[in-house]
Amino acid sequence: KLYDGSQNSIYQNYSFVHTLSVGEFKNELAISYFNSNIPDSLVTNSLLYSDDLSLRVKKKYVFSVGVKLSQNKSGAIQPGYRAKANIPLTKYMAIELSGEKVVLGDFYNNYLLEQIDKFPYYFFGKLIFNW
């Protein structure tokens, strides 16, 4: 539940994820269904399919590419894609860089289709510490 100052909104997300690892390759298939009671009919329901393939190189670098497909309540279909690299800098620190084309159903699920179409890309970088 989320209260926005005037009403309570209910957000629900159901996901199925299947991961298959073979040697240095990993494939992750996911299907997610998002539902909410917010009044905008464009974002109340969405179905998101995604498939990611990862490769571990030299036992430490991980590179991933993926595709995704979103379908909303009105039947509109949006294709998307993503790429990610995880690069160790030291034994205890790594950097991860990623980018993707956003589709309806990603992130907060309350962006309107018009907002996504204005700039449909998301870039992210993070520094990871392990101890």
Side-chain angles (χ1 to χ4, degrees):
K1 289 186 178 185
L2 179 64
Y3 181 69
D4 66 4
S6 63
Q7 69 176 1
N8 277 320
S9 297
I10 297 172
Y11 293 87
Q12 297 173 320
N13 187 4
Y14 302 96
S15 297
F16 168 80
V17 178
H18 181 266
T19 303
L20 175 66
S21 296
V22 178
E24 301 299 322
F25 289 95
K26 182 170 84 171
N27 187 357
E28 188 170 280
L29 175 67
I31 301 170
S32 299
Y33 173 72
F34 173 77
N35 183 35
S36 74
N37 69 342
I38 56 177
D40 188 335
S41 63
L42 287 176
V43 294
T44 54
N45 297 341
S46 63
L47 193 56
L48 180 64
Y49 307 93
S50 65
D51 192 14
D52 293 319
L53 181 62
S54 299
L55 173 64
R56 183 175 296 276
V57 179
K58 295 185 180 181
K59 303 266 187 221
K60 58 182 182 177
Y61 304 101
V62 180
F63 300 99
S64 304
V65 293
V67 294
K68 53 189 173 173
L69 187 68
S70 174
Q71 183 174 9
N72 67 15
K73 186 178 182 177
S74 68
I77 294 176
Q78 286 185 299
Y81 46 85
R82 63 178 139 225
K84 179 169 49 173
N86 184 298
I87 302 164
L89 301 174
T90 69
K91 182 178 178 180
Y92 301 104
M93 186 171 50
I95 188 168
E96 188 171 278
L97 303 171
S98 64
E100 64 184 278
K101 181 181 178 292
V102 179
V103 297
L104 201 60
D106 281 336
F107 304 110
Y108 302 107
N109 294 291
N110 60 0
Y111 291 140
L112 294 174
L113 198 53
E114 296 81 27
Q115 291 171 311
I116 291 172
D117 287 340
K118 285 182 184 177
F119 189 78
Y121 303 101
Y122 176 75
F123 300 99
F124 190 74
K126 62 182 171 181
L127 194 56
I128 302 166
F129 294 95
N130 299 304
W131 61 85

PDB file of all heavy atoms in Angstrom, residues 33 41-49 69-79 104 113:
ATOM      1  N   TYR A  33       4.048  -9.843 -13.440  1.00  0.00           N
ATOM      2  CA  TYR A  33       2.734  -9.227 -13.640  1.00  0.00           C
ATOM      3  C   TYR A  33       2.562  -8.169 -12.558  1.00  0.00           C
ATOM      4  O   TYR A  33       2.750  -8.429 -11.374  1.00  0.00           O
ATOM      5  CB  TYR A  33       1.621 -10.267 -13.525  1.00  0.00           C
ATOM      6  CG  TYR A  33       0.237  -9.658 -13.548  1.00  0.00           C
ATOM      7  CD1 TYR A  33      -0.277  -9.138 -14.725  1.00  0.00           C
ATOM      8  CD2 TYR A  33      -0.531  -9.577 -12.400  1.00  0.00           C
ATOM      9  CE1 TYR A  33      -1.538  -8.563 -14.759  1.00  0.00           C
ATOM     10  CE2 TYR A  33      -1.792  -9.002 -12.423  1.00  0.00           C
ATOM     11  CZ  TYR A  33      -2.285  -8.499 -13.602  1.00  0.00           C
ATOM     12  OH  TYR A  33      -3.531  -7.924 -13.624  1.00  0.00           O
ATOM     13  N   SER A  41      -5.844   4.135 -16.213  1.00  0.00           N
ATOM     14  CA  SER A  41      -6.024   2.798 -16.772  1.00  0.00           C
ATOM     15  C   SER A  41      -4.832   2.318 -17.587  1.00  0.00           C
ATOM     16  O   SER A  41      -4.710   1.141 -17.860  1.00  0.00           O
ATOM     17  CB  SER A  41      -7.284   2.760 -17.643  1.00  0.00           C
ATOM     18  OG  SER A  41      -7.134   3.642 -18.730  1.00  0.00           O
ATOM     19  N   LEU A  42      -3.928   3.224 -18.006  1.00  0.00           N
ATOM     20  CA  LEU A  42      -2.776   2.797 -18.794  1.00  0.00           C
ATOM     21  C   LEU A  42      -1.751   2.032 -17.966  1.00  0.00           C
ATOM     22  O   LEU A  42      -0.982   1.246 -18.494  1.00  0.00           O
ATOM     23  CB  LEU A  42      -2.082   4.003 -19.441  1.00  0.00           C
ATOM     24  CG  LEU A  42      -2.808   4.648 -20.603  1.00  0.00           C
ATOM     25  CD1 LEU A  42      -2.039   5.868 -21.069  1.00  0.00           C
ATOM     26  CD2 LEU A  42      -2.991   3.669 -21.741  1.00  0.00           C
ATOM     27  N   VAL A  43      -1.698   2.286 -16.677  1.00  0.00           N
ATOM     28  CA  VAL A  43      -0.649   1.673 -15.864  1.00  0.00           C
ATOM     29  C   VAL A  43      -1.182   0.757 -14.772  1.00  0.00           C
ATOM     30  O   VAL A  43      -0.460   0.380 -13.879  1.00  0.00           O
ATOM     31  CB  VAL A  43       0.280   2.743 -15.252  1.00  0.00           C
ATOM     32  CG1 VAL A  43       1.056   3.457 -16.324  1.00  0.00           C
ATOM     33  CG2 VAL A  43      -0.496   3.719 -14.402  1.00  0.00           C
ATOM     34  N   THR A  44      -2.447   0.403 -14.815  1.00  0.00           N
ATOM     35  CA  THR A  44      -2.979  -0.450 -13.760  1.00  0.00           C
ATOM     36  C   THR A  44      -2.519  -1.893 -13.899  1.00  0.00           C
ATOM     37  O   THR A  44      -2.365  -2.580 -12.914  1.00  0.00           O
ATOM     38  CB  THR A  44      -4.515  -0.420 -13.719  1.00  0.00           C
ATOM     39  OG1 THR A  44      -5.008  -0.753 -15.011  1.00  0.00           O
ATOM     40  CG2 THR A  44      -5.013   0.936 -13.296  1.00  0.00           C
ATOM     41  N   ASN A  45      -2.306  -2.376 -15.089  1.00  0.00           N
ATOM     42  CA  ASN A  45      -1.851  -3.746 -15.307  1.00  0.00           C
ATOM     43  C   ASN A  45      -0.730  -3.743 -16.337  1.00  0.00           C
ATOM     44  O   ASN A  45      -0.833  -3.071 -17.353  1.00  0.00           O
ATOM     45  CB  ASN A  45      -2.964  -4.641 -15.855  1.00  0.00           C
ATOM     46  CG  ASN A  45      -4.122  -4.785 -14.899  1.00  0.00           C
ATOM     47  OD1 ASN A  45      -3.982  -4.531 -13.715  1.00  0.00           O
ATOM     48  ND2 ASN A  45      -5.255  -5.203 -15.415  1.00  0.00           N
ATOM     49  N   SER A  46       0.310  -4.522 -16.096  1.00  0.00           N
ATOM     50  CA  SER A  46       1.325  -4.721 -17.116  1.00  0.00           C
ATOM     51  C   SER A  46       1.969  -6.080 -16.921  1.00  0.00           C
ATOM     52  O   SER A  46       2.073  -6.582 -15.809  1.00  0.00           O
ATOM     53  CB  SER A  46       2.376  -3.605 -17.109  1.00  0.00           C
ATOM     54  OG  SER A  46       3.076  -3.590 -15.897  1.00  0.00           O
ATOM     55  N   LEU A  47       2.380  -6.651 -18.027  1.00  0.00           N
ATOM     56  CA  LEU A  47       3.037  -7.950 -18.040  1.00  0.00           C
ATOM     57  C   LEU A  47       4.416  -7.731 -18.651  1.00  0.00           C
ATOM     58  O   LEU A  47       4.534  -7.106 -19.706  1.00  0.00           O
ATOM     59  CB  LEU A  47       2.214  -8.917 -18.889  1.00  0.00           C
ATOM     60  CG  LEU A  47       2.510 -10.392 -18.819  1.00  0.00           C
ATOM     61  CD1 LEU A  47       2.417 -10.911 -17.383  1.00  0.00           C
ATOM     62  CD2 LEU A  47       1.526 -11.149 -19.696  1.00  0.00           C
ATOM     63  N   LEU A  48       5.462  -8.212 -17.984  1.00  0.00           N
ATOM     64  CA  LEU A  48       6.833  -7.980 -18.431  1.00  0.00           C
ATOM     65  C   LEU A  48       7.561  -9.311 -18.559  1.00  0.00           C
ATOM     66  O   LEU A  48       7.623 -10.075 -17.595  1.00  0.00           O
ATOM     67  CB  LEU A  48       7.558  -7.068 -17.440  1.00  0.00           C
ATOM     68  CG  LEU A  48       9.002  -6.720 -17.732  1.00  0.00           C
ATOM     69  CD1 LEU A  48       9.113  -5.920 -19.023  1.00  0.00           C
ATOM     70  CD2 LEU A  48       9.594  -5.921 -16.580  1.00  0.00           C
ATOM     71  N   TYR A  49       8.076  -9.580 -19.755  1.00  0.00           N
ATOM     72  CA  TYR A  49       8.897 -10.766 -20.011  1.00  0.00           C
ATOM     73  C   TYR A  49      10.328 -10.290 -20.179  1.00  0.00           C
ATOM     74  O   TYR A  49      10.563  -9.292 -20.857  1.00  0.00           O
ATOM     75  CB  TYR A  49       8.477 -11.454 -21.315  1.00  0.00           C
ATOM     76  CG  TYR A  49       7.029 -11.788 -21.431  1.00  0.00           C
ATOM     77  CD1 TYR A  49       6.137 -10.899 -22.037  1.00  0.00           C
ATOM     78  CD2 TYR A  49       6.528 -12.983 -20.933  1.00  0.00           C
ATOM     79  CE1 TYR A  49       4.791 -11.199 -22.151  1.00  0.00           C
ATOM     80  CE2 TYR A  49       5.185 -13.301 -21.051  1.00  0.00           C
ATOM     81  CZ  TYR A  49       4.332 -12.392 -21.655  1.00  0.00           C
ATOM     82  OH  TYR A  49       3.004 -12.699 -21.771  1.00  0.00           O
ATOM     83  N   LEU A  69      10.191  -7.488 -22.999  1.00  0.00           N
ATOM     84  CA  LEU A  69       8.994  -7.141 -23.747  1.00  0.00           C
ATOM     85  C   LEU A  69       7.890  -6.867 -22.743  1.00  0.00           C
ATOM     86  O   LEU A  69       7.633  -7.676 -21.861  1.00  0.00           O
ATOM     87  CB  LEU A  69       8.604  -8.308 -24.657  1.00  0.00           C
ATOM     88  CG  LEU A  69       7.479  -8.074 -25.639  1.00  0.00           C
ATOM     89  CD1 LEU A  69       7.932  -7.080 -26.703  1.00  0.00           C
ATOM     90  CD2 LEU A  69       7.083  -9.374 -26.280  1.00  0.00           C
ATOM     91  N   SER A  70       7.253  -5.720 -22.874  1.00  0.00           N
ATOM     92  CA  SER A  70       6.201  -5.319 -21.947  1.00  0.00           C
ATOM     93  C   SER A  70       4.881  -5.187 -22.696  1.00  0.00           C
ATOM     94  O   SER A  70       4.845  -4.729 -23.831  1.00  0.00           O
ATOM     95  CB  SER A  70       6.566  -3.970 -21.318  1.00  0.00           C
ATOM     96  OG  SER A  70       5.514  -3.486 -20.538  1.00  0.00           O
ATOM     97  N   GLN A  71       3.809  -5.586 -22.020  1.00  0.00           N
ATOM     98  CA  GLN A  71       2.470  -5.420 -22.586  1.00  0.00           C
ATOM     99  C   GLN A  71       1.586  -4.836 -21.502  1.00  0.00           C
ATOM    100  O   GLN A  71       1.538  -5.349 -20.384  1.00  0.00           O
ATOM    101  CB  GLN A  71       1.925  -6.760 -23.054  1.00  0.00           C
ATOM    102  CG  GLN A  71       0.573  -6.643 -23.712  1.00  0.00           C
ATOM    103  CD  GLN A  71       0.110  -7.974 -24.294  1.00  0.00           C
ATOM    104  OE1 GLN A  71       0.708  -9.013 -24.072  1.00  0.00           O
ATOM    105  NE2 GLN A  71      -0.960  -7.924 -25.046  1.00  0.00           N
ATOM    106  N   ASN A  72       0.878  -3.740 -21.827  1.00  0.00           N
ATOM    107  CA  ASN A  72       0.001  -3.138 -20.824  1.00  0.00           C
ATOM    108  C   ASN A  72      -1.443  -3.559 -21.055  1.00  0.00           C
ATOM    109  O   ASN A  72      -1.757  -4.319 -21.966  1.00  0.00           O
ATOM    110  CB  ASN A  72       0.150  -1.607 -20.787  1.00  0.00           C
ATOM    111  CG  ASN A  72      -0.349  -0.927 -22.036  1.00  0.00           C
ATOM    112  OD1 ASN A  72      -1.053  -1.510 -22.845  1.00  0.00           O
ATOM    113  ND2 ASN A  72       0.024   0.333 -22.199  1.00  0.00           N
ATOM    114  N   LYS A  73      -2.328  -3.051 -20.196  1.00  0.00           N
ATOM    115  CA  LYS A  73      -3.743  -3.445 -20.211  1.00  0.00           C
ATOM    116  C   LYS A  73      -4.418  -3.193 -21.563  1.00  0.00           C
ATOM    117  O   LYS A  73      -5.259  -3.963 -21.996  1.00  0.00           O
ATOM    118  CB  LYS A  73      -4.473  -2.686 -19.103  1.00  0.00           C
ATOM    119  CG  LYS A  73      -5.907  -3.089 -18.898  1.00  0.00           C
ATOM    120  CD  LYS A  73      -6.515  -2.315 -17.745  1.00  0.00           C
ATOM    121  CE  LYS A  73      -7.928  -2.719 -17.488  1.00  0.00           C
ATOM    122  NZ  LYS A  73      -8.491  -2.037 -16.339  1.00  0.00           N
ATOM    123  N   SER A  74      -4.017  -2.123 -22.245  1.00  0.00           N
ATOM    124  CA  SER A  74      -4.639  -1.801 -23.528  1.00  0.00           C
ATOM    125  C   SER A  74      -4.077  -2.645 -24.676  1.00  0.00           C
ATOM    126  O   SER A  74      -4.541  -2.533 -25.802  1.00  0.00           O
ATOM    127  CB  SER A  74      -4.464  -0.315 -23.843  1.00  0.00           C
ATOM    128  OG  SER A  74      -3.107  -0.032 -24.090  1.00  0.00           O
ATOM    129  N   GLY A  75      -3.053  -3.472 -24.388  1.00  0.00           N
ATOM    130  CA  GLY A  75      -2.474  -4.318 -25.424  1.00  0.00           C
ATOM    131  C   GLY A  75      -1.237  -3.742 -26.085  1.00  0.00           C
ATOM    132  O   GLY A  75      -0.643  -4.383 -26.939  1.00  0.00           O
ATOM    133  N   ALA A  76      -0.846  -2.505 -25.720  1.00  0.00           N
ATOM    134  CA  ALA A  76       0.353  -1.902 -26.303  1.00  0.00           C
ATOM    135  C   ALA A  76       1.584  -2.706 -25.896  1.00  0.00           C
ATOM    136  O   ALA A  76       1.747  -3.078 -24.744  1.00  0.00           O
ATOM    137  CB  ALA A  76       0.498  -0.456 -25.839  1.00  0.00           C
ATOM    138  N   ILE A  77       2.443  -2.987 -26.871  1.00  0.00           N
ATOM    139  CA  ILE A  77       3.649  -3.781 -26.638  1.00  0.00           C
ATOM    140  C   ILE A  77       4.870  -2.896 -26.830  1.00  0.00           C
ATOM    141  O   ILE A  77       4.943  -2.128 -27.787  1.00  0.00           O
ATOM    142  CB  ILE A  77       3.706  -4.989 -27.592  1.00  0.00           C
ATOM    143  CG1 ILE A  77       2.559  -5.944 -27.253  1.00  0.00           C
ATOM    144  CG2 ILE A  77       5.045  -5.690 -27.506  1.00  0.00           C
ATOM    145  CD1 ILE A  77       2.444  -7.129 -28.175  1.00  0.00           C
ATOM    146  N   GLN A  78       5.811  -3.001 -25.897  1.00  0.00           N
ATOM    147  CA  GLN A  78       7.057  -2.243 -25.980  1.00  0.00           C
ATOM    148  C   GLN A  78       8.243  -3.194 -25.864  1.00  0.00           C
ATOM    149  O   GLN A  78       8.322  -3.948 -24.901  1.00  0.00           O
ATOM    150  CB  GLN A  78       7.177  -1.250 -24.831  1.00  0.00           C
ATOM    151  CG  GLN A  78       6.310  -0.050 -24.909  1.00  0.00           C
ATOM    152  CD  GLN A  78       6.656   0.864 -23.742  1.00  0.00           C
ATOM    153  OE1 GLN A  78       6.528   0.482 -22.594  1.00  0.00           O
ATOM    154  NE2 GLN A  78       7.111   2.045 -24.062  1.00  0.00           N
ATOM    155  N   PRO A  79       9.182  -3.152 -26.809  1.00  0.00           N
ATOM    156  CA  PRO A  79      10.405  -3.939 -26.668  1.00  0.00           C
ATOM    157  C   PRO A  79      11.468  -3.130 -25.921  1.00  0.00           C
ATOM    158  O   PRO A  79      11.473  -1.903 -25.962  1.00  0.00           O
ATOM    159  CB  PRO A  79      10.827  -4.185 -28.114  1.00  0.00           C
ATOM    160  CG  PRO A  79      10.294  -3.005 -28.856  1.00  0.00           C
ATOM    161  CD  PRO A  79       9.036  -2.581 -28.140  1.00  0.00           C
ATOM    162  N   LEU A 104       7.256  -0.002 -20.100  1.00  0.00           N
ATOM    163  CA  LEU A 104       6.189   0.055 -19.110  1.00  0.00           C
ATOM    164  C   LEU A 104       6.234  -1.223 -18.274  1.00  0.00           C
ATOM    165  O   LEU A 104       6.301  -2.313 -18.806  1.00  0.00           O
ATOM    166  CB  LEU A 104       4.843   0.167 -19.812  1.00  0.00           C
ATOM    167  CG  LEU A 104       3.689   0.727 -19.003  1.00  0.00           C
ATOM    168  CD1 LEU A 104       3.997   2.129 -18.522  1.00  0.00           C
ATOM    169  CD2 LEU A 104       2.429   0.729 -19.828  1.00  0.00           C
ATOM    170  N   LEU A 113       3.185   6.117 -20.393  1.00  0.00           N
ATOM    171  CA  LEU A 113       3.839   5.742 -21.636  1.00  0.00           C
ATOM    172  C   LEU A 113       4.480   6.959 -22.305  1.00  0.00           C
ATOM    173  O   LEU A 113       5.580   6.879 -22.837  1.00  0.00           O
ATOM    174  CB  LEU A 113       2.813   5.092 -22.560  1.00  0.00           C
ATOM    175  CG  LEU A 113       3.311   4.262 -23.723  1.00  0.00           C
ATOM    176  CD1 LEU A 113       4.284   3.197 -23.252  1.00  0.00           C
ATOM    177  CD2 LEU A 113       2.148   3.626 -24.441  1.00  0.00           C
TER     178      LEU A 113
END
